[in-house]
Structures are given as structure tokens and as C-alpha cells.
Amino acid sequence: MKIAVMQPYFLPYLSYWQLIAAVDRFVILDDVNFIKRGFINRNRILINGQPYLFSVPIKKASQNHLIKDTQLCFDEKEKRKFLVRIENAYRRAPFFGTVMPLVRRITEYEENDLTEYITNSIKEIMSYLGLGTVILKSSQMKKDNSYTGAERIMEICGCLGGDVYINLIGGKKLYRHDIFAEHGISLYFLATRFEQIQYRQFGTEFQEKLSILDVLMFNPVNEVKDMLQMYELEE
């Protein structure tokens, strides 16, 4: 069984979705500390041909709190402002009419728990793309919570019966193949073939590694699903 473990990110870039599509079980790592100024509650969209960093507001954001204990303060006024920003940015995109209702459902979801809010957004987009990966939360798993780092990952894999663990390529320095092999787990790293993933935006220079929203606004579902396969698994 193939397993991936990642912190919850709001509307993350394409590699995150490639990882979801590549595994059988995707575990949202929400019983670790929240990271301020990270990408848990932030991402980038395209405005006037340039990347623009947006964020959803957090109530008393603190790196001393676990993600699962972190709350949103994303009220109706802030949600309307966010939706207007997306509408203004993408109203001329070819799939705006199809994707904007999805964005509204995600944004207007009535939940203040950060993990649950992001989990809902992940499941909404998975449904739109027709992905069947099982989504789990680490905080809800029966496991030994004293482990950290690679040991935590191997504990999660062991609880799920996973014999393959896939991580994004950015984490290659964090994990060793020999240690995972001692636990009967094959370790791989997913490297996106970004050079193959370019699509027409608004006729300006292509901006890569934006939120999945940008990909969805400019591409039909079948082409997005093709993009989800544009990666290499490295040992």
C-alpha cells in the first residue's frame, strides 16, 4: 500500500495533488505545530500577470499550537473579499464558469477548525477531478504519538499497513532509505516535471507553481489529470 503524509495546505500547488493521486492513503499531518508564514493557510494566484500571495486569516496564529488546535477567523466579510479577488483575477479564464462555483463552495464552508476546513477543500477538489485516494487525519489515528520526524512517518505507515512511502522531492534530505527499509518500507520521492507543465494563462509569461486554482481555471479536467501524471519517482 502506498502512503503519503503531508501537512494540510489550502489550495496548494500541483505537486501536492500529484502526491495525492500517486498513493492509496493520504494522511493529513495535523498533530504537529502550525507554521507561521508558511503555506498552510496561504498560496499564490495570478493577478495582472504576476504571482499574488493570498491568505486566509487565523485566530491567534502561533507556532506553539498544533495545526489541529488552530482556528480560522474567516468571517463572511473576509470570505466575500476573497471571492471577489478570485473573480477579478480569473473572470476571463476559459474555465471560470465551471470552477468558480467550486471555489464558492470551498470558501463558504461553515467551519472554523483549520484542519477540517482545509480537508473539506481537498475533498471538494478531489471530487471535481475524480480522484479516489482515501484521506485520513493523523490526529484521529491510533498510534504512538511520542515519535517525531522519520519515526513518526514510519509509525503512520505501520499503522496503515503501508509498504511504500512517497514524499515530495523537497524532503529528500530528511529521510534515509536504509532506515525505512529496516521497517519494510520502500521510500520514494516525487519530482514534478515542471518543464512539461506549461499552459496558456493570459498571454503573459508563464508563472509556475501557483495554487491549483490557477491550473483549474485554465485547463479542462482531463488535461489536469494528465498533468497529475507528469512526475518522476526517485529513490
Side-chain angles (χ1 to χ4, degrees):
M1 181 180 292
K2 298 176 182 177
I3 307 294
V5 181
M6 287 288 290
Q7 295 172 347
Y9 294 125
F10 186 58
L11 306 175
Y13 75 139
L14 190 66
S15 296
Y16 195 96
W17 301 95
Q18 289 180 327
L19 189 61
I20 290 176
V23 298
D24 304 299
R25 302 284 188 273
F26 185 88
V27 179
I28 293 175
L29 187 64
D30 64 334
D31 48 0
V32 295
N33 284 13
F34 177 82
I35 300 174
K36 293 179 69 174
R37 294 180 292 278
F39 277 82
I40 293 175
N41 64 314
R42 307 195 305 171
N43 220 288
R44 303 187 308 154
I45 56 174
L46 190 68
I47 293 183
N48 297 325
Q50 297 297 319
Y52 171 86
L53 185 66
F54 70 81
S55 63
V56 292
I58 300 297
K59 184 177 182 180
K60 296 181 180 179
S62 171
Q63 297 191 164
N64 296 320
H65 293 161
L66 299 181
I67 296 171
K68 72 180 184 69
D69 298 326
T70 301
Q71 298 290 304
L72 292 168
C73 56
F74 201 19
D75 60 22
E76 294 304 313
K77 181 180 178 180
E78 290 298 321
K79 288 181 178 181
R80 285 195 300 272
K81 287 171 60 177
F82 176 76
L83 288 170
V84 168
R85 181 171 291 123
I86 300 298
E87 289 173 353
N88 289 340
Y90 289 107
R91 67 172 67 255
R92 294 187 294 109
F95 295 94
F96 174 82
T98 304
V99 176
M100 197 60 208
L102 171 67
V103 178
R104 289 193 186 98
R105 287 199 306 274
I106 288 171
T107 304
E108 294 172 353
Y109 184 59
E110 295 185 4
E111 177 61 64
N112 290 323
D113 179 273
L114 176 63
T115 300
E116 181 55 35
Y117 189 82
I118 294 177
T119 300
N120 177 73
S121 70
I122 290 172
K123 290 181 176 179
E124 284 275 10
I125 293 174
M126 285 180 62
S127 177
Y128 179 81
L129 294 175
L131 302 181
T133 304
V134 176
I135 303 296
L136 304 167
K137 297 177 186 174
S138 60
S139 62
Q140 296 179 348
M141 294 179 60
K142 293 182 178 180
K143 63 186 188 305
D144 187 338
N145 290 313
S146 66
Y147 292 116
T148 60
E151 288 76 18
R152 182 196 297 267
I153 299 300
M154 290 183 287
E155 170 73 2
I156 290 173
C157 288
C159 290
L160 296 175
D163 56 359
V164 174
Y165 177 69
I166 304 177
N167 201 85
L168 291 181
I169 193 70
K172 198 166 187 177
K173 294 181 179 179
L174 299 177
Y175 306 125
R176 290 172 46 186
H177 290 84
D178 57 339
I179 294 177
F180 275 76
E182 289 175 2
H183 291 78
I185 303 169
S186 298
L187 175 63
Y188 295 93
F189 297 93
L190 187 150
T192 303
R193 299 199 297 263
F194 285 111
E195 71 281 359
Q196 295 183 358
I197 302 172
Q198 292 200 10
Y199 48 88
R200 184 177 178 83
Q201 290 167 324
F202 288 123
T204 55
E205 181 180 356
F206 180 72
Q207 300 291 336
E208 67 176 18
K209 299 182 182 179
L210 300 182
S211 165
I212 189 64
L213 288 188
D214 192 81
V215 179
L216 298 180
M217 288 289 187
F218 289 108
N219 299 277
V221 169
N222 64 310
E223 293 185 13
V224 177
K225 293 180 79 169
D226 287 342
M227 292 179 195
L228 295 182
Q229 304 305 315
M230 294 178 183
Y231 63 82
E232 303 287 346
L233 286 183
E234 301 182 5
E235 294 186 350

